[in-house]
Amino acid sequence: MSVTVTPFFHEQTGTASYIVVDITKRHAVIIDSVLDFEIGSGKISTQFAQKQLDFLKRHDFNLVCVLDTHAHADHLSAANFLKSQTGAYTVIGQGILNVQARFADKLNNHQVADGKFAGFDRLVSEGDIIEFGSSEVHFLHTPGHTDDSMSFVIENNVFVGDTLFMPDGGTARCDFPGGDAGLLWQSIEKIHALPDDTHIWVCHDYQPNGREVDVCTTVGKSKANNIHVGQQSNEQDFIELRNKRDATLAAPTLLYPSLQVNLWGGSLPKQENNGMKYIKIPLTVESKSWRDE
Ligand SMILES: [Fe+2]
């Protein structure tokens, strides 16, 4: 084995970001990076991402690329910041184009309308390979949570984004536009078809029953013990359970801030003519009794 995996846990959003290093050539990739964001004040900072940059510098590792498993709806990606600091290129699944198109009207942002600007340096599909040092990232398309979701296989590790949680956490929601519980089941079968000793690294841990943070399990343990898709489960029961649970969930607090940054590779919104940048929240107005002045 020639890679090491170092998780960094962002407590405010329960997100695990990873630095994977090819130790033979000291080349590194970062998976699912995070910007710090306070929704009340609009303050964006790079403390968490800077910790990862410091780690790379301290060990003299060379960052090759920054990968996102999907367009996250619960935290802001630091991909663009990390690229600006290191020259690393940014990567996401080809499905991001669908997600961008879907939200273009809702966010009144048509950067992608001419098909020229995706906000990422490289879009990948199942079967693609990215090399770093003497190691490789292999891509699996694992839709269901979102339709752009990809899982990354690096040696005996798979980085699953929100396709799976730890066994006691089950699975992520499938009710976002483009989400589909049946597709998620099939994607999980794809991950569970990897060798039993493959390490599964999850993107979130919400510490069920107050346990310590844990972000790594194995295919064998996930197949045996996952509370939603473990050995006692079947596809039909899973779809019913997932849909029933999703119907009770509120929109994530950082949904719109996340999308407005993450759809464009972690770029911040354009500066307006007063020199400020803004995050927009589309309003749904139930009463028709308002009069626009
Ligand atoms: Fe997600």
Side-chain angles (χ1 to χ4, degrees):
M1 297 299 160
S2 61
V3 298
T4 59
V5 178
T6 307
F8 291 75
F9 192 71
H10 188 254
E11 283 184 17
Q12 295 86 335
T13 59
T15 304
S17 174
Y18 299 96
I19 296 184
V20 186
V21 175
D22 169 68
I23 46 180
T24 58
K25 295 201 172 158
R26 309 186 83 74
H27 285 190
V29 301
I30 291 184
I31 296 171
D32 289 330
S33 62
V34 185
L35 280 178
D36 301 286
F37 177 60
E38 288 175 14
I39 192 162
S41 63
K43 185 179 168 197
I44 287 179
S45 61
T46 56
Q47 226 178 330
F48 181 78
Q50 189 60 51
K51 258 195 258 172
Q52 294 183 310
L53 290 175
D54 293 346
F55 174 89
L56 293 170
K57 194 170 176 193
R58 197 163 57 243
H59 296 284
D60 196 24
F61 296 143
N62 175 23
L63 185 65
V64 175
C65 63
V66 185
L67 305 111
D68 275 296
T69 50
H70 63 294
H72 304 276
D74 45 30
H75 67 270
L76 280 60
S77 166
N80 190 280
F81 168 72
L82 292 167
K83 173 182 170 171
S84 73
Q85 298 299 303
T86 62
Y89 62 95
T90 58
V91 180
I92 200 166
Q94 185 79 25
I96 189 69
L97 297 176
N98 296 335
V99 187
Q100 289 172 337
R102 190 176 298 128
F103 282 98
D105 281 338
K106 186 137 197 179
L107 297 170
N108 200 19
N109 182 341
H110 292 266
Q111 291 183 77
V112 78
D114 61 3
K116 288 181 190 152
F117 179 69
F120 295 86
D121 297 312
R122 181 160 171 192
L123 303 184
V124 289
S125 307
E126 172 135 344
D128 284 354
I129 295 173
I130 279 182
E131 292 178 1
F132 65 110
S134 57
S135 300
E136 292 175 338
V137 186
H138 294 248
F139 295 93
L140 298 176
H141 186 212
T142 48
H145 168 62
T146 63
D147 52 357
D148 66 328
S149 291
M150 303 291 288
S151 294
F152 310 147
V153 180
I154 307 175
E155 293 184 348
N156 69 333
N157 303 284
V158 58
F159 299 85
V160 296
D162 292 357
T163 302
L164 273 168
F165 289 152
M166 293 297 288
D168 58 354
T171 55
R173 63 196 298 173
C174 294
D175 60 330
F176 294 147
D180 183 310
L183 279 181
L184 187 68
W185 175 271
Q186 290 166 24
S187 294
I188 290 168
E189 284 196 320
K190 208 186 264 188
I191 291 166
H192 280 173
L194 294 167
D196 276 358
D197 63 353
T198 308
H199 293 107
I200 292 177
W201 300 91
V202 300
C203 182
H204 290 292
D205 186 53
Y206 302 117
Q207 302 174 258
N209 304 311
R211 68 149 166 71
E212 292 288 299
V213 172
D214 195 1
V215 294
C216 184
T217 184
T218 64
V219 165
K221 287 180 188 164
S222 183
K223 282 198 297 198
N225 303 324
N226 187 289
I227 56 169
H228 291 172
V229 294
Q231 55 182 339
Q232 306 300 334
S233 320
N234 65 63
E235 182 171 5
Q236 207 45 49
D237 288 352
F238 169 70
I239 292 170
E240 269 173 43
L241 174 145
R242 190 65 266 168
N243 289 340
K244 203 168 157 191
R245 180 158 163 67
D246 288 348
T248 69
L249 301 176
T253 310
L254 297 184
L255 174 65
Y256 286 110
S258 302
L259 286 177
Q260 280 161 83
V261 171
N262 299 347
L263 287 180
W264 318 108
S267 312
L268 300 183
K270 285 202 174 82
Q271 188 172 294
E272 299 199 7
N273 59 13
N274 63 353
M276 297 292 294
K277 293 172 183 283
Y278 294 89
I279 291 283
K280 296 192 286 192
I281 297 183
L283 301 180
T284 310
V285 183
E286 286 185 351
S287 166
K288 294 211 161 67
S289 61
W290 300 99
R291 197 179 72 184
D292 284 332
E293 298 295 341

